[in-house]
């Protein structure tokens, strides 16, 4: 293995990775400045921690911790229900701020994204480091939450940088200093390298990202699959993974789950929750013009054990009515009388473009055309009046009753404090103005 350091020009490219710090909890703190500096937990509706602020993490609380345990560790913790609609609004605003600096922005997830700053030094009359600092400062000042930023020559290196100092960190990794950062980064901490690849690397004495990056190119090609070869190239400063600006419209599967409290053994109620899962999954599939060839159904008991079943569809579809009979038979196979269930879920599998299907000689074309017109009208109604303004009778019990009651039935703050022009079903697609950081 060569022992040379990676030495290339400092900034042939400039890719930034922006990562929200404890994003969901930080959004709550941004809406409630009086909560800054305190332990904030989201996930009250689930009974376990969905997200924790850094103040809570510092005391040993992590994702998935039962809330009863949190109360023992931090008696004065602020525990609130998750408000994903509001978090998505903060996310939209965060990406809008990033696009003020460059149109080349990739929304990687709700709380992190990549941006390509290459060639922007002259327009901004400053260094890439300064552009990234300005982007970070704008997000924090305008949204009231902190982000950690990495800047380097590739997406993999930029992601190493953003994780290097958390929270509220900024780590530039120019080409001439790549080896310094890789030397102190365990190979398992590299984006895209999982447990299996880590174990394989360790068989060859590879412990750090630098060990991996300094392998001979021929050896890498011989020992590893294409994804690991691409990571090796990115660690060596090559930009293999482009910053993808298009919205994600390719899905292998679409899954929707629904947790409810208290747990229920009521057959009709549990089936209603499952029916709503199917409605939600199909809405997303139609939004992306996709149809499913398969369906997976699962139920989770109060003790967190799950049971599920999978089936193929007679033809690709994204219409719940067409899958209703199959859904009922699959549900009957897994539901057990007297068992308490806490959540339900469906997965649409074998997704393909909706317009790509070809009808067989035995399929009723007129009936299918009527189904398409029906759901086109329903989708237009949802767009005008809010999601689920029309729903199937099978899902009525899930739509008419709160998802959570008793001590988990709190309503997120923003649903009780609407902005002018908002209704119960429709909130403005603009984030709330957050107080500036002090």
């Amino acid at each position: 293995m060569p022992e040379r350091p990676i030495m290339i020009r400092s900034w042939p490219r400039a890719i930034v990775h922006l990562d929200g710090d404890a994003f969901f909890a930080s959004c709550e703190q941004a809406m409630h400045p009086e909560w800054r500096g305190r332990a904030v937990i989201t996930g009250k509706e689930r009974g376990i921690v969905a997200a924790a602020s850094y103040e809570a993490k510092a005391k040993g609380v992590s994702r998935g911790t039962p809330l009863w345990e949190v109360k023992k560790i931090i008696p004065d913790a602020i525990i609130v229900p998750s408000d994903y609609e509001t978090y998505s609004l903060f996310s939209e605003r965060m990406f809008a701020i990033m696009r003020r600096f460059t149109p080349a922005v990739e929304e990687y997830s709700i709380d992190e994204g990549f941006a390509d700053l290459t060639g922007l030094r002259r327009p901004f009359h400053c260094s890439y480091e300064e552009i990234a600092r300005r982007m970070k400062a704008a997000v924090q000042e305008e949204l009231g939450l902190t982000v950690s930023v990495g800047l380097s020559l590739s997406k993999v290196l930029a992601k190493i940088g953003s994780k290097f100092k958390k929270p509220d960190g900024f780590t530039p990794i120019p080409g001439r200093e790549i080896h310094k950062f890789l030397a102190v980064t365990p190979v398992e901490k590299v984006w895209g390298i999982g447990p299996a690849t880590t174990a394989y690397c360790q068989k060859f004495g590879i412990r750090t990202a630098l060990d991996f990056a300094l392998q001979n190119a021929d050896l890498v090609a011989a020992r590893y699959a294409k994804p690991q070869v691409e990571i090796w190239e990115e660690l060596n400063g090559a930009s293999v993974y482009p910053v993808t600006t298009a919205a994600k419209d390719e899905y292998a599967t679409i899954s929707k789950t629904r947790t409810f409290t208290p747990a229920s053994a009521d057959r009709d109620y549990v089936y209603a929750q499952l029916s709503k899962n199917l409605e939600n999954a199909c809405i997303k599939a139609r939004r992306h013009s996709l149809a499913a060839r398969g369906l997976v159904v699962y139920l989770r008991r109060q003790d967190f054990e799950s049971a599920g079943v999978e089936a193929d569809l007679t033809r690709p579809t994204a219409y719940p009515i067409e899958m209703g009979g199959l859904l009922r038979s699959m549900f009957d196979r897994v539901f057990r009388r007297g068992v308490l269930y806490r959540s339900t879920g469906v997965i649409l599998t074998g997704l393909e473009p909706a317009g790509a299907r070809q009808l067989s000689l035995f399929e009723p074309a007129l009936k299918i055309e009527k189904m398409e017109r029906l759901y086109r009208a329903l989708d237009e109604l949802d767009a005008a009046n809010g999601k689920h303004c029309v729903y199937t009778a099978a899902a009525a019990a899930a739509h008419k009753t709160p998802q959570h009651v008793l001590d988990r039935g709190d309503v997120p703050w923003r649903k009780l404090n609407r902005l002018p022009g908002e209704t119960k079903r429709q909130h403005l697609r603009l984030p709330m103005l957050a107080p500036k950081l002090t």
Side-chain angles (χ1 to χ4, degrees):
M1 182 181 297
E3 295 185 357
R4 55 172 177 79
I6 300 171
M7 296 292 286
I8 53 181
R9 197 157 51 91
S10 287
W11 296 110
R13 289 165 304 280
I15 309 297
V16 67
H17 179 249
L18 187 147
D19 189 10
D21 297 325
F23 188 72
F24 295 167
S26 293
C27 289
E28 296 290 348
Q29 289 175 319
M31 290 188 291
H32 302 276
E34 69 276 13
W35 292 354
R36 289 194 183 119
R38 296 187 60 185
V40 176
I41 306 290
T42 71
K44 185 174 184 179
E45 76 287 355
R46 299 172 58 198
I48 60 174
V49 175
S53 67
Y54 275 88
E55 294 83 358
K57 291 179 180 180
K59 296 184 178 180
V61 172
S62 60
R63 183 182 175 89
T65 303
L67 293 184
W68 61 264
E69 188 174 329
V70 171
K71 292 174 182 176
K72 285 185 176 181
I73 300 171
I74 316 173
D76 63 344
I78 298 168
I79 302 174
V80 297
S82 301
D83 184 3
Y84 296 110
E85 180 182 43
T86 296
Y87 308 152
S88 69
L89 297 182
F90 272 93
S91 176
E92 287 180 18
R93 180 59 178 150
M94 181 179 77
F95 290 120
I97 293 171
M98 293 176 70
R99 289 190 180 95
R100 293 211 304 256
F101 294 83
T102 172
V105 172
E106 176 182 339
E107 299 183 18
Y108 182 70
S109 69
I110 191 172
D111 63 344
E112 60 178 310
F114 295 95
D116 191 341
L117 305 182
T118 307
L120 294 179
R121 286 183 291 193
R122 181 171 294 178
F124 280 95
H125 305 289
C126 62
S127 66
Y128 289 131
E129 293 97 323
E130 181 58 27
I131 298 172
R133 286 185 185 278
R134 291 181 187 180
M135 181 185 292
K136 170 180 165 66
V139 170
Q140 295 183 185
E141 181 175 349
E142 296 179 35
L143 296 184
L145 45 84
T146 66
V147 293
S148 295
V149 173
L151 174 69
S152 195
L153 283 61
S154 69
K155 291 170 75 171
V156 171
L157 289 170
K159 211 167 191 328
I160 288 175
S162 66
K163 302 294 183 185
F164 207 76
K165 297 177 183 176
K166 275 187 122 345
D168 197 18
F170 173 62
T171 305
I173 306 178
R176 296 184 183 280
E177 296 183 10
I178 291 175
H179 62 286
K180 297 179 182 178
F181 289 89
L182 298 190
V184 294
T185 300
V187 69
E188 64 269 21
K189 297 297 184 181
V190 175
W191 180 39
I193 294 184
T197 303
T198 298
Y200 183 66
C201 287
Q202 290 174 347
K203 293 182 185 298
F204 301 103
I206 296 169
R207 297 288 187 271
T208 69
L210 183 61
D211 294 337
F212 184 71
L214 290 181
Q215 291 185 101
N216 179 274
D218 293 334
L219 276 178
V220 172
R223 289 176 175 173
Y224 300 94
K226 182 182 177 183
Q228 288 76 43
V229 173
E230 292 174 339
I231 292 170
W232 177 85
E233 292 177 315
E234 288 251 331
L235 290 174
N236 277 278
S239 184
V240 178
Y241 302 134
V243 173
T244 306
T245 58
K248 182 177 180 181
D249 57 5
E250 296 182 2
Y251 293 86
T253 62
I254 291 176
S255 62
K256 292 292 180 179
T257 62
R258 187 168 177 84
T259 301
F260 43 88
T261 52
S264 177
D266 185 292
R267 188 184 197 91
D268 292 337
Y269 179 77
V270 176
Y271 182 70
Q273 301 290 339
L274 190 67
S275 297
K276 189 172 182 181
N277 292 144
L278 182 62
E279 288 181 352
N280 285 330
C282 287
I283 287 172
K284 184 172 182 177
R286 295 197 301 275
R287 187 187 310 137
H288 294 284
S289 300
L290 297 171
R293 283 192 169 275
L295 178 65
V296 176
V297 167
Y298 59 92
L299 306 179
R300 179 165 293 174
R301 305 193 311 237
Q302 179 71 345
D303 61 4
F304 291 90
E305 292 294 323
S306 297
V309 63
E310 182 175 2
D312 294 326
L313 302 174
T314 55
R315 73 176 187 87
T317 183
Y319 306 134
I321 291 178
E322 288 191 309
M323 290 183 265
L326 177 61
L327 184 75
R328 171 60 77 175
S329 65
M330 295 171 75
F331 172 79
D332 289 341
R333 289 176 61 184
V334 295
F335 182 86
R336 296 291 177 268
R337 181 180 298 179
V339 173
L340 287 173
Y341 292 97
R342 70 185 309 272
S343 67
T344 59
V346 302
I347 305 174
L348 300 181
T349 63
L351 295 176
E352 61 181 46
R357 64 180 182 271
Q358 183 174 352
L359 301 180
S360 73
L361 294 175
F362 304 100
E363 289 182 303
L366 182 59
K367 180 180 178 181
I368 293 172
E369 184 181 341
K370 287 182 178 179
M371 187 73 67
E372 291 174 344
R373 291 205 307 268
L374 169 64
Y375 274 96
R376 194 178 306 123
L378 292 180
D379 291 339
E380 290 173 357
L381 282 171
D382 278 356
N385 301 289
K387 188 177 177 183
H388 294 307
C389 65
V390 179
Y391 47 81
T392 60
H399 286 283
K400 292 181 178 179
T401 59
Q403 185 175 350
H404 302 282
V405 297
L406 305 177
D407 60 333
R408 297 185 189 174
D410 289 359
V411 178
W413 179 83
R414 183 161 140 67
K415 292 186 182 298
L416 299 174
N417 295 271
R418 302 187 192 115
L419 298 175
E422 292 185 328
T423 66
K424 180 181 180 180
R425 283 199 173 273
Q426 279 196 314
H427 286 175
L428 298 177
R429 301 305 298 164
L430 294 170
M432 299 178 62
L433 294 176
K436 293 184 178 180
L437 289 173
T438 56

